[in-house]
Amino acid sequence: MTDKTWLLRFECNDGNVEVWEHVSRDYAEEQFNSFDESDADIYTEIQLIERDWTKDENNCDTIIERKVFG
C-alpha cells in the first residue's frame, strides 16, 4: 500500500457527503479540475485532500484545494 492517497470529498446540496479515494495525485487533480460552477446544482463544496497514512489517524488529512459553490 502507498503511504499517501488523495480523496475527493463532495458535500452535496442534500446534506450527504461522498468521498472518492485515488492512489494517483495526478488523476485525483484531473478529476477535481473537471468540476466547476455548473456543478453547483449538485454540490456545495468539493475538496481535494491528501491523506498521509504514515501520520496519526487524527492528523493524516490535509486539504490541498477546495471549490465552494453557491
Side-chain angles (χ1 to χ4, degrees):
M1 184 172 163
T2 180
D3 288 343
K4 293 183 181 180
T5 55
W6 291 267
L7 310 175
L8 291 180
R9 184 178 184 279
F10 300 87
E11 293 183 17
C12 303
N13 286 332
D14 65 4
N16 287 319
V17 174
E18 300 174 23
V19 178
W20 302 349
E21 188 167 13
H22 302 281
V23 294
S24 164
R25 181 177 178 153
D26 289 340
Y27 185 70
E29 286 178 338
E30 180 182 321
Q31 294 297 303
F32 177 81
N33 290 328
S34 72
F35 294 93
D36 59 25
E37 277 296 325
S38 66
D39 298 298
D41 60 328
I42 303 170
Y43 305 112
T44 57
E45 183 173 344
I46 302 172
Q47 299 174 347
L48 175 60
I49 301 168
E50 179 182 84
R51 177 165 288 169
D52 186 340
W53 292 96
T54 65
K55 293 183 179 179
D56 177 272
E57 69 182 49
N58 296 320
N59 202 20
C60 64
D61 291 348
T62 303
I63 298 173
I64 297 173
E65 292 184 72
R66 60 188 279 216
K67 295 180 182 184
V68 178
F69 305 116

